[in-house]
């Protein structure tokens, strides 16, 4: 089972300049990110992430786990941007994945290969187990990815847009904000909790239901109130709302 989150992040300004370069050059860690984060607890978490990340990519060449790199990047992205959660919504589960979507998915490694000399990529750039980093959709590919997803939904009437609402809204935010989109699992678990900034989650999760009911929404100030409305209403109305946010 996958607890998948989709994390928007800018390739140059954030992945390279706020995460990779400070770590590799032993600069001031993630201080620039910490300046954007409110709360001492979160600042402590960022310090721990920095030490872990530094260990993985620089200080211990024998550690070649690329999943650890992408997972940490996704967790850090969650401090910088909203993110969206879903159950079993790994990109590889999209219909006709190999033909329609693989061409748009890259690896975080492709963004900053010069910062990862000790990392051996041993997995394809998509989620392959239940606790790992996954695929990265570059900002330049997000609009076309959205368009093809919309075409898929239009021709495949049984496509579950409610389940995939997390991806739909994450892609919408990424395009509006010129971000790439990184998938991961294990950063947020609706039972175990969250390892990134909880307040940036844009998926409302109802624990009064089984299986868990999750309602993802756009990044708006009143998104939590909208979750309450949709939970009490007809699921058809929520489906219409999600469909309206496709290209």
């Amino acid at each position: 089972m996958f607890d998948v989150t989709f994390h928007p992040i800018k390739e140059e300004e954030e992945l390279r300049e706020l995460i990779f370069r400070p770590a590799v050059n032993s600069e001031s860690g993630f201080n620039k990110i910490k300046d954007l984060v409110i709360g001492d607890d979160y600042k402590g978490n960022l310090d721990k992430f920095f030490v872990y990340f530094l260990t993985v990519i620089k200080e211990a060449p024998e550690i070649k786990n690329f999943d650890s790199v992408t997972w940490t990047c996704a967790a850090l992205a969650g401090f910088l941007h909203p993110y969206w959660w879903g159950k079993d919504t790994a990109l590889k589960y999209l219909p006709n994945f190999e033909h329609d979507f693989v061409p748009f998915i890259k690896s975080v490694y492709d963004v900053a290969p010069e910062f990862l000399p000790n990392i051996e990529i041993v997995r394809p750039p998509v989620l392959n187990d239940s606790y790992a980093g996954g695929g990265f959709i570059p900002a330049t590919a997000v609009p076309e990815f959205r368009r093809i997803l919309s075409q898929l939904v239009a021709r495949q009437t049984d496509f579950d847009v409610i389940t995939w609402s997390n991806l739909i809204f994450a892609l919408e935010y990424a395009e509006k904000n010129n971000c790439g989109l990184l998938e991961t699992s294990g950063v947020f678990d609706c039972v175990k909790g969250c390892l990134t900034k909880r307040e940036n989650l844009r998926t409302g999760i109802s624990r009064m239901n089984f299986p868990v009911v999750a309602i993802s929404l756009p990044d708006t100030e009143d998104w939590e109130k909208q979750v309450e409305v949709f939970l009490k209403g007809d699921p058809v109305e929520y489906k219409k709302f999600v469909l309206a946010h496709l290209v």
Side-chain angles (χ1 to χ4, degrees):
M1 299 291 284
F2 290 81
D3 281 290
V4 179
T5 43
F6 291 109
H7 296 267
I9 188 166
K10 297 179 186 294
E11 289 140 74
E12 289 296 324
E13 303 100 301
E14 294 171 346
L15 268 175
R16 290 179 61 90
E17 299 304 319
L18 295 186
I19 297 176
F20 284 109
R21 192 179 301 282
V24 170
N25 294 336
S26 298
E27 295 172 2
S28 55
F30 298 132
N31 282 348
K32 290 182 180 179
I33 299 177
K34 289 168 73 173
D35 289 342
L36 303 172
V37 173
I38 299 174
D40 291 338
D41 290 342
Y42 282 134
K43 293 181 189 297
N45 285 347
L46 283 168
D47 285 333
K48 293 176 183 177
F49 272 125
F50 176 69
V51 172
Y52 174 72
F53 194 66
L54 186 63
T55 300
V56 170
I57 69 172
K58 185 177 182 182
E59 292 187 347
E62 70 275 10
I63 298 177
K64 299 181 183 294
N65 188 347
F66 184 64
D67 290 341
S68 297
V69 173
T70 52
W71 180 88
T72 306
C73 288
L76 290 166
F79 288 98
L80 299 168
H81 293 279
Y83 59 96
W84 288 260
W85 175 89
K87 177 64 71 175
D88 289 337
T89 53
L91 292 173
K92 69 177 182 179
Y93 294 147
L94 284 168
N96 206 22
F97 171 72
E98 294 288 337
H99 180 269
D100 287 345
F101 298 104
V102 163
F104 301 101
I105 298 173
K106 298 175 68 176
S107 165
V108 168
Y109 181 89
D110 299 321
V111 177
E114 71 274 26
F115 294 134
L116 297 168
N118 299 324
I119 298 297
E120 177 181 301
I121 300 177
V122 294
R123 296 180 184 274
V126 291
L127 278 178
N128 213 30
D129 57 41
S130 61
Y131 188 80
F136 182 71
I137 307 169
T140 55
V142 166
E144 186 67 4
F145 194 103
R146 286 188 73 201
R147 187 184 69 81
I148 291 177
L149 180 61
S150 296
Q151 291 177 338
L152 182 152
V153 173
R155 70 174 182 266
Q156 189 165 322
T157 56
D158 61 344
F159 183 79
D160 188 352
V161 295
I162 292 179
T163 296
W164 287 93
S165 60
N166 61 332
L167 176 60
I168 290 169
F169 291 121
L171 285 166
E172 179 183 55
Y173 177 95
E175 182 170 1
K176 286 181 178 179
N177 293 276
N178 195 31
C179 292
L181 193 65
L182 179 60
E183 70 166 342
T184 194
S185 65
V187 167
F188 179 86
D189 186 301
C190 65
V191 176
K192 297 178 181 178
C194 184
L195 296 176
T196 188
K197 189 173 182 179
R198 176 64 171 79
E199 291 85 348
N200 279 344
L201 180 66
R202 295 295 179 264
T203 301
I205 301 167
S206 172
R207 291 180 173 81
M208 300 299 292
N209 305 82
F210 188 83
V212 170
V213 171
I215 293 181
S216 290
L217 285 166
D219 179 39
T220 58
E221 290 185 3
D222 66 342
W223 77 273
E224 289 180 293
K225 292 181 180 178
Q226 286 184 287
V227 167
E228 295 177 6
V229 171
F230 282 123
L231 279 173
K232 296 174 182 176
D234 187 337
V236 173
E237 294 304 311
Y238 176 62
K239 183 177 180 179
K240 290 179 181 177
F241 179 82
V242 177
L243 286 170
H245 286 262
L246 287 165
V247 177

